[in-house]
Amino acid sequence: MDNEFYKNEIARLKKEKNAVILGHYYQRDEIQDLSDYIGDSLALAQKAQQCDNDIIVFCGVHFMAETAKILNPSRKVLLPDLTASCSLAESCPGADFARFKAEHPDHMVISYVNCTAEIKAMSDLICTSGNAEKLVRSLPEEQKIIFAPDKNLGGYINSVTGRNMLLWDGVCMVHDAMRAETVMQLKMQHPDAAVIAHPECNSALLQVADFVGSTKAMLSYIEKSGHKKFIVATETGILYEMKKNNPDKEFITVSAKEGCNCADCSYMKQNTLEKLYLCMRDETPEIELSNEIIEAAARPIVRMLEMSKQLGIIK
Ligand code: 13P
Ligand code: SF4
């Protein structure tokens, strides 16, 4: 089948089944084109909460689709490839985390949204890279905090807020593999470029960045910045939106692999047009969670969305 067939069929099925397609910026270009909304984890969680479609088709990774299901338990949530995981979510198994939490009973638990529903259910508050700093700043100084599962994002928040959160030892396999030395070499070749980085990058890289922020924050920074060139330390999929919005600007990727010029998240790229079409046609694979997990995981996610509204991060 060719791409035209899939595109037409996906559009037809979307109407016929009253489905909405939510897509993350790291998805393949052709999937971003077919999405009703594209955004970062925070915007997509909010969209998932607001939409009233019968079916939510989530083009992203498993934890994102789970979040949509937790916020919409009565709706069908489909993920084109159920094995589209995330190295951060995998770094934090439920039983190990439960033990860690029990060792620190006086700490509250803030979990980055890149974790399983089981971890969310053990958390007091969820955050995304788009709201983590402001959420942490809004808590009393003396509050003891466990931050899981991303030690890079947690370390970055510690460094900008002066907190001393206890960090779970997880990393994103894509962002953590990018090297500050690579960025410095690119900077020598392009001295007029601004370095923008996702906070999942390691601390050495973040120290040489001109701007650190979520996918959406990086997009906003580019639009407002006077720079014409950007060294981009995040997953390659976002370049599609960056180039579309800024045809007059130049983007240079930071490699996450020896001998290649790319930083693709293999999990994000598991979703293809064919899988998207098949999952909409057959209404499977579907995200399924127990009522107990949904109830417990919804609390810290809803708390995040409410706090984000109060703090003016989202409308
Ligand atoms: P954002 O919330 O910034 O879109 O990040 C999600 C993600 O998985 C980054 O690797
Ligand atoms: Fe997870 Fe990293 Fe892929 Fe984002 S880019 S989904 S954090 S593995």
Side-chain angles (χ1 to χ4, degrees), residues 26 61 63 85-88 114 172-175 200 235 265 267-268:
Y26 295 164
V61 290
F63 76 80
S85 181
C86 165
S87 66
L88 277 168
N114 296 38
C172 160
M173 62 181 188
V174 181
H175 290 87
E200 288 173 11
E235 210 271 354
C265 170
Y267 295 123
M268 282 282 180

Side-chain angles (χ1 to χ4, degrees), residues 4 18 30 48 99 119 212 242 257 266 292 303 314:
E4 273 321 293
N18 185 27
E30 60 274 22
R99 250 190 315 274
I119 300 298
V212 177
M242 286 178 176
K257 260 186 249 149
S266 51
E292 272 163 272
R303 186 175 174 198
I314 54 173

Side-chain angles (χ1 to χ4, degrees), residues 24 26 40-41 63-64 112 114 129 175 198 200 214-215:
H24 189 268
Y26 295 164
D40 65 355
S41 306
F63 76 80
M64 296 179 173
Y112 184 33
N114 296 38
S129 55
H175 290 87
H198 195 279
E200 288 173 11
S214 72
T215 48

